[in-house]
Amino acid sequence: MSHPFDTIYQRLMGNGALPFYETTLRGRNTFKYRAEFERTQWLSPDALAALQWERLSALLRHAFTTVEAYRAMFDALNATPDDIRTPDDFARLPVLDKATIKASKDRLISSRFPRRDLVASATGGSTGSPMQFYYNRDSYERRTAAAMRGDGWAGWQLCAPEFYIWGTPLLPESGFLRRKKLLHHRTLRRYAINSFKLTSDHIGETTAKYNRARPRVVIGYANAVYEFAAYVRQAGIPLHRPLGVITSAEKLYPHQRQLIEETFGARVFERYGCRETMMVGAECAEHAGLHAITDNLYIEIARDGVPCGPGELGDVLLTDLHNYGMPLIRYRVGDTSSWKGEACPCGRGLPLLNPVEGRTLDMISTPSGRVVSGVFFPHLLKDFPAIRTYQIVQETRDRLQVSLSLEEPLSESQETFIRETIHRLMGPEMTILWK
């Protein structure tokens, strides 16, 4: 049962002040797009496919006329966007991979967008290959709106308490930025614990913070939420019961789902996303699969670039239909999945994906018995453009090998920061071998 203050605050801020601030004062379209997505999810599959194709065609025309790399691609094929009339035509375009983006980043940016007007970001590199990229602000507003809708299927509401079991920033931040983020989180009533420092020794303190927050939903890395639930179960501490638990960033296994649901007393809602596009798919209350966000993305499951049928495992290829700043068309994100091939009983027209198969980030056990999520490494290394690829191998309980492949040498301060951060988290008993 929610506290009366939660309901009042959520209505005043979530339904009033924040939408007014974002829409009227800041001129953002996030809430307009959210309303649009709430409507389009109920379109029929055919109507959604028609809307998706209309948006894809517009993106292709834009890329052809304003993006050097895509103009060259169409010229090499002796084609124009007008020749792309069907999904089969689209599937003949080359697949875009991380290596190509790294080598041709400047040639993928639209001439209509000054670099200063774009949002810079980086992948976490869960496949071992981090990458920097850009997107325009309209795309960000749409992907934020799509995420709000997807989390809403699990019970999330704007400005209702939410509890994150997530990684905190590892790079130093200015005092102004820290204060700004703190105010933002407090306004949203967003509470968090650092998943990278989750231990059984402090589970009493952590659960006390959780129970004080009385979260409506819990959001976290799949393995971190599972470890938290396991520590709570072992300690026998009762938890406030949320409406839903949203897991992300890692593959969720059936035994993990069962323990999390038993411990929190709430259903788990798995979601799938990536930094390049944010939400790709999410479970609704039917738990029949992940609804693919096809009103914001063009999603393909393909093997060697050729579309797969329902149940056939293939590469996930993504096209953000609204990233006009740096279009990523038929982008191989590095994950494998398959189409469900069935309609969801909920009635939404958004097609169903099966859970991602190829995105397991293993946990690392330290000599002291602490468990560290594998998400820590992509979270740490994503912000260093000099790192081309990396590999983390735990050879024994007390030996960890960190291998880095570099585009150029790291600066002394960067190398020191990476080494000290990893050493500090793993503890003095862990021997770290650098390669």
Side-chain angles (χ1 to χ4, degrees):
M1 181 179 296
S2 62
H3 192 278
F5 172 78
D6 296 339
T7 303
I8 295 171
Y9 184 85
Q10 190 272 328
R11 288 176 179 172
L12 290 175
M13 293 297 295
N15 297 339
L18 271 181
F20 175 79
Y21 171 79
E22 285 287 304
T23 305
T24 305
L25 299 183
R26 298 303 302 271
R28 295 170 179 162
N29 292 314
T30 306
F31 288 91
K32 169 190 169 184
Y33 295 145
R34 182 185 180 186
E36 176 187 313
F37 286 137
E38 293 291 348
R39 177 183 58 82
T40 55
Q41 67 181 325
W42 301 109
L43 294 176
S44 69
D46 288 344
L48 270 168
L51 175 66
Q52 184 188 47
W53 189 257
E54 177 185 338
R55 291 175 171 174
L56 177 64
S57 299
L59 177 71
L60 290 176
R61 290 192 294 270
H62 166 81
F64 178 72
T65 56
T66 73
V67 180
E68 179 185 351
Y70 289 117
R71 181 59 180 261
M73 177 197 74
F74 276 108
D75 288 348
L77 296 172
N78 194 27
T80 71
D82 292 336
D83 297 315
I84 310 300
R85 300 186 180 92
T86 67
D88 287 341
D89 293 336
F90 183 66
R92 285 195 284 270
L93 298 182
V95 171
L96 183 65
D97 58 24
K98 286 183 170 66
T100 302
I101 295 172
K102 289 180 180 181
S104 309
K105 183 171 63 177
D106 292 340
R107 297 179 66 242
L108 286 165
I109 296 174
S110 169
S111 61
R112 291 185 183 172
F113 290 84
R115 187 77 61 95
R116 65 180 180 275
D117 292 340
L118 298 176
V119 180
S121 189
T123 66
S126 59
T127 56
S129 183
M131 178 193 76
Q132 282 70 45
F133 62 96
Y134 296 90
Y135 50 85
N136 54 291
R137 297 189 183 278
D138 183 75
S139 169
Y140 177 74
E141 291 162 8
R142 287 182 181 273
R143 59 181 65 184
T144 300
M148 293 166 75
R149 177 186 63 181
D151 288 348
W153 299 337
W156 174 90
Q157 288 184 354
L158 185 63
C159 291
E162 50 189 310
F163 194 87
Y164 276 76
I165 305 175
W166 207 259
T168 59
L170 297 170
L171 293 176
E173 295 180 330
S174 67
F176 171 77
L177 183 58
R178 286 197 305 271
R179 290 191 294 272
K180 182 180 178 181
K181 285 186 175 182
L182 180 61
L183 177 61
H184 178 69
H185 291 323
R186 285 181 174 175
T187 301
L188 295 178
R189 305 201 71 201
R190 181 178 292 167
Y191 306 89
I193 58 172
N194 188 350
S195 65
F196 304 140
K197 296 183 179 179
L198 189 61
T199 66
S200 59
D201 297 339
H202 300 96
I203 196 62
E205 176 185 338
T206 305
T207 52
K209 179 178 180 179
Y210 169 87
N211 285 326
R212 284 195 302 270
R214 304 187 309 274
R216 183 180 177 90
V217 294
V218 176
I219 302 173
Y221 300 144
N223 281 319
V225 175
Y226 172 71
E227 290 299 322
F228 176 79
Y231 290 148
V232 169
R233 173 64 65 88
Q234 185 177 15
I237 301 173
L239 290 180
H240 163 84
R241 183 174 181 175
L243 287 183
V245 179
I246 301 170
T247 63
S248 188
E250 303 163 302
K251 181 174 175 58
L252 179 73
Y253 292 95
H255 73 279
Q256 294 176 315
R257 182 189 290 266
Q258 180 179 349
L259 179 66
I260 293 169
E261 291 184 343
E262 290 175 353
T263 304
F264 283 94
R267 296 298 301 274
V268 167
F269 292 76
E270 187 175 4
R271 74 180 180 190
Y272 166 47
C274 61
R275 294 181 71 90
E276 297 91 321
T277 65
M278 285 179 62
M279 184 171 285
V280 177
E283 281 187 301
C284 71
E286 295 293 338
H287 303 278
L290 307 179
H291 280 291
I293 312 302
T294 54
D295 43 3
N296 193 50
L297 307 172
Y298 192 93
I299 303 172
E300 301 171 85
I301 306 297
R303 189 177 301 132
D304 297 324
V306 179
C308 294
E312 295 179 0
L313 200 64
D315 294 324
V316 177
L317 307 181
L318 301 177
T319 303
D320 184 333
L321 298 171
H322 301 102
N323 185 0
Y324 277 50
M326 183 178 175
L328 301 180
I329 297 173
R330 304 202 79 207
Y331 167 58
R332 183 190 289 119
V333 72
D335 302 323
T336 56
S337 185
S338 60
W339 290 110
K340 190 88 172 180
E342 306 171 0
C344 184
C346 74
R348 292 179 176 87
L350 300 169
L352 293 175
L353 282 167
N354 286 312
V356 169
E357 294 290 336
R359 210 183 196 198
T360 302
L361 295 175
D362 294 332
M363 306 294 280
I364 293 173
S365 298
T366 68
S368 64
R370 199 152 47 85
V371 178
V372 177
S373 170
V375 173
F376 165 76
F377 291 97
H379 189 74
L380 169 66
L381 300 175
K382 71 181 187 299
D383 295 315
F384 296 91
I387 298 177
R388 179 190 299 115
T389 58
Y390 61 86
Q391 183 183 62
I392 314 297
V393 178
Q394 185 171 20
E395 299 176 329
T396 62
R397 178 64 72 98
D398 61 352
R399 288 171 65 88
L400 191 75
Q401 179 170 298
V402 179
S403 302
L404 304 178
S405 173
L406 303 177
E407 299 279 1
E408 58 188 32
L410 292 164
S411 69
E412 183 178 348
S413 62
Q414 288 176 327
E415 184 172 344
T416 299
F417 177 81
I418 292 172
R419 287 176 179 269
E420 289 182 350
T421 302
I422 294 176
H423 275 289
R424 185 167 58 251
L425 186 67
M426 296 301 157
E429 303 91 352
M430 179 78 82
T431 298
I432 299 180
L433 308 176
W434 298 88
K435 185 176 180 181

